[in-house]
Amino acid sequence: MSQETAPRNLTARILRLVGYLTDPKSGPGKWWMRFEGASTGVMTRLATSPRYLKFAGRGLQKMFHLHRNVVDLTEEVLHFWRVPTLGDFNEVRAQLRRAEDRLEITTTQLELALQLLEKLQAELARSVRGAA
């Protein structure tokens, strides 16, 4: 009477369902294996077809142009309403990073100058004591 208990975890139940649906021994799994084999052949032919690749390339190019136009229009609307855009934040972030880098360089140079000044003061104090 060993009865398997259903897992209470939602992820485990979903994974168990996926396992059943793709198991080559189950009814849906047999259908899935046939579908996967057929679709793999079709995708192989499409991936090597110059006509399909040219079509897909034009579609991607148009999609990227459309995306760029939507971003530009969105930025124009936000600038009209005087709302900062992501590009504005990135520009300010880059300027701040450059300013931090310059400040770090200046701080390092100042520390080196102070060390040299201390050395000069120590040498001057020794030479004054040695002359006296």
Side-chain angles (χ1 to χ4, degrees), residues 31-47:
W31 179 86
W32 174 253
M33 296 300 284
R34 282 194 306 266
F35 171 75
E36 188 178 22
S39 64
T40 300
V42 169
M43 291 307 292
T44 301
R45 284 194 303 264
L46 281 176

Side-chain angles (χ1 to χ4, degrees), residues 13-34:
R13 289 194 314 216
I14 291 172
L15 289 175
R16 194 168 177 198
L17 176 64
V18 169
Y20 170 75
L21 293 174
T22 58
D23 182 15
K25 296 174 188 169
S26 70
K30 290 176 184 175
W31 179 86
W32 174 253
M33 296 300 284
R34 282 194 306 266

Side-chain angles (χ1 to χ4, degrees), residues 31-75:
W31 179 86
W32 174 253
M33 296 300 284
R34 282 194 306 266
F35 171 75
E36 188 178 22
S39 64
T40 300
V42 169
M43 291 307 292
T44 301
R45 284 194 303 264
L46 281 176
T48 57
S49 166
R51 188 174 178 186
Y52 171 76
L53 292 174
K54 187 182 280 189
F55 170 76
R58 278 194 308 255
L60 283 172
Q61 187 177 27
K62 288 182 181 187
M63 183 188 68
F64 289 138
H65 286 306
L66 176 65
H67 181 264
R68 181 73 244 165
N69 291 339
V70 168
V71 168
D72 289 343
L73 180 63
T74 303
E75 286 184 353

Side-chain angles (χ1 to χ4, degrees), residues 75 84-98:
E75 286 184 353
T85 64
L86 181 60
D88 297 334
F89 282 115
N90 287 338
E91 185 178 331
V92 169
R93 183 180 291 132
Q95 290 174 357
L96 182 59
R97 190 171 292 125
R98 286 192 299 271

